[in-house]
């Protein structure tokens, strides 16, 4: 927990346990009704601050047309450079503060400027041309290695030398709340037997932190590890749903394909690195020392609590089944970016990168059912006599994340998805 206090409070009511105080102001794309114009907003308490209306009325100045806030995604805003985002955020923190009368004392404007989050339709924040999923939690990688490879030597020889990753499908990134139909594919019934086709019987979630690229690099130009953080626009929660039985059959030799590409859920609010700065913590040294292009002058990670909530179909009552922290990452976000681009790969504005499943060292801190149930061999016990080995139809999963200050939180909200039966 940080000792830093929230610098200012807003005239809008914001409880101390809200994810969205004035010190946060995460970016998002919202609609006031189906078919309405998608608009850039920031979250404040339980409200959305409408940046388009603020710009139209001259309360936010950017040097650009107010249409910058009605393009339907954050790509154009990010493309103007990080200084513009900081400028807007600074203006908002001044005019939304409790001691500033500019908007506080004009309640007739509030209907246009503020909109309840509970009534809004949230879109994906960025149009993404690429999605990359890393494998950066040593506890998760070790647990998977013990299940499927060598209990005594669970990590593959390359794991401590580079941030392992695969390229996913940007076309199936979906906003929080999108239902997830159970995927179909090939399943191996056992050694030596031919595969069968059918719905996944081992459908799983993955608890991940994601981050959007806001500054591109030229094709052929690697991003230095000590400059990599400058390319991050903001951070989100990611649930990279996984069909474990499809994955076990297909992943040799090229890795996941259909078992991952059916859906990846993304939280709606993009939290800026500036808002999370009070929660930066030093990372442990790595053994062995990585190659020079991965050696950072100062390795840092965010102290962010991560939770998994499962709502069983039978009860409709949410149950917290895991709590962990982003400090469990072995490879930093900067190392992930540096490795991604060391071959000259171009990252584009709106590309989404994710950490991979983040797991802690205890049974209560695991980021997937694969680990919690030892690949389905040991049931996870739930209240009311229920249990789960993997997700059942109409189960709902919500991932939650926040950094905890002395009297405030900087949160991500949640990313949520309900499992639907496989299409006929």
């Amino acid at each position: 927990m940080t000792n830093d206090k929230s610098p200012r409070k807003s005239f809008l009511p914001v409880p101390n346990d809200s994810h969205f105080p004035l010190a946060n102001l995460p970016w998002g794309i919202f609609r006031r009704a189906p078919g309405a114009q998608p608009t850039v907003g920031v979250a404040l308490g339980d409200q959305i601050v409408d940046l388009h209306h603020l710009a139209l009325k001259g309360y936010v100045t950017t040097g650009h047309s107010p249409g910058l806030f009605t393009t339907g995604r954050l790509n154009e805003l990010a493309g103007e450079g990080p200084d513009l985002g900081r400028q807007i955020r600074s203006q908002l923190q001044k005019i939304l503060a409790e001691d500033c009368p500019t908007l506080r004392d004009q309640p007739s404007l509030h209907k246009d400027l503020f909109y309840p989050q509970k009534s809004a339709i949230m879109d994906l924040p960025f149009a993404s041309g690429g999605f990359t999923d890393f494998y950066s939690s040593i506890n998760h990688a070790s647990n998977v290695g013990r299940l499927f490879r060598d209990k005594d030597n669970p990590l593959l020889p390359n794991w401590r030398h580079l941030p392992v990753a695969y390229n996913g499908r940007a076309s199936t990134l979906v906003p929080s709340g999108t239902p997830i139909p159970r995927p179909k594919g090939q399943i191996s019934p056992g050694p030596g037997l031919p595969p069968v086709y059918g719905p996944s019987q081992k459908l799983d979630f993955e608890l991940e932190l994601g981050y959007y690229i806001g500054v591109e690099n030229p094709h052929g130009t690697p991003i230095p590890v000590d400059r990599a953080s400058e390319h991050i626009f903001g951070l989100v929660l990611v649930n990279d749903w996984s069909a474990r039985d499809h994955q076990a059959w297909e992943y040799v030799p090229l890795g996941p394909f259909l078992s991952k590409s059916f859906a990846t859920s993304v939280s709606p609010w993009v939290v800026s690195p500036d808002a999370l700065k009070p929660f930066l913590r030093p990372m442990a040294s790595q053994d062995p020392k990585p190659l020079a292009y991965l050696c950072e002058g100062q390795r840092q990670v965010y102290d962010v609590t991560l939770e998994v909530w499962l709502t069983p179909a039978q009860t409709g009552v949410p149950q917290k089944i895991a709590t962990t922290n982003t400090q469990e990452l072995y490879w930093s976000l900067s190392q992930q970016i540096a490795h991604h681009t060391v071959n000259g790969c171009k990252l584009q504005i709106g590309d989404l990168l994710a950490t991979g499943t983040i797991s802690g060292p205890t049974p209560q801190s695991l980021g997937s059912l694969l680990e919690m149930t030892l690949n389905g061999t040991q049931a996870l016990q739930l209240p009311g006599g229920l249990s789960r080995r993997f997700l059942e139809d109409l189960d709902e999963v919500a991932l939650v994340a926040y950094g905890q200050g002395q009297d405030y939180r900087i949160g991500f909200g949640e990313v949520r998805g309900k499992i639907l039966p496989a299409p006929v």
Side-chain angles (χ1 to χ4, degrees), residues 185-233:
Q186 291 192 21
I187 301 169
S188 172
L193 297 174
V196 297
Y197 169 75
S200 172
Q201 301 303 305
K202 293 185 175 183
L203 189 54
D204 200 359
F205 59 82
E206 290 195 342
L207 172 61
E208 307 191 20
L209 195 70
Y211 51 102
Y212 281 107
I213 296 299
V215 178
E216 298 182 349
N217 62 305
H219 184 206
T221 304
I223 297 174
V225 68
D226 285 328
R227 303 295 299 272
S229 63
E230 300 169 16
H231 292 256
I232 298 175
F233 178 86

Side-chain angles (χ1 to χ4, degrees), residues 134 136 163 211 329 331-340 354-355:
F134 284 88
S136 293
Y211 51 102
L329 290 172
W331 294 104
S332 72
L333 307 189
S334 291
Q335 288 176 313
Q336 292 167 27
I337 292 173
H339 183 66
H340 201 316
T355 59

